[in-house]
Amino acid sequence: MTPSWRKPAGALLIVVLIVLWAVLIASFSGAIGQLHPLAQALVYVITGIVWIAPLKPLLRWMETGRWRA
């Protein structure tokens, strides 16, 4: 069985996704910093979870080569 190129490509895509998401959220840090500390915590908790949503289809593609089940 030959190794699939999808796993290294997918891993690289995951790293790129994380970096882009972090840059996007950091670009809003000025506005987020103006919020009440509890609101800031809520924003960062939510944005810390939301980036995980695109990973399911990406991980499926890495394993099967298909985007949908």
Side-chain angles (χ1 to χ4, degrees), residues 56-58 60-61 64-69:
K56 185 175 181 180
L58 179 59
R60 185 180 305 119
W61 173 78
T64 65
R66 295 184 316 245
W67 289 102
R68 296 185 181 189

Side-chain angles (χ1 to χ4, degrees), residues 5-54:
W5 61 270
R6 289 188 311 268
K7 288 190 181 186
L12 181 62
L13 196 55
I14 289 171
V15 171
V16 168
L17 174 69
I18 291 171
V19 169
L20 290 176
W21 187 251
V23 168
L24 176 70
I25 299 307
S27 70
F28 291 105
S29 65
I32 296 170
Q34 301 296 320
L35 298 173
H36 185 276
L38 290 177
Q40 288 180 35
L42 182 63
V43 167
Y44 285 123
V45 166
I46 290 170
T47 58
I49 293 171
V50 167
W51 71 271
I52 297 171

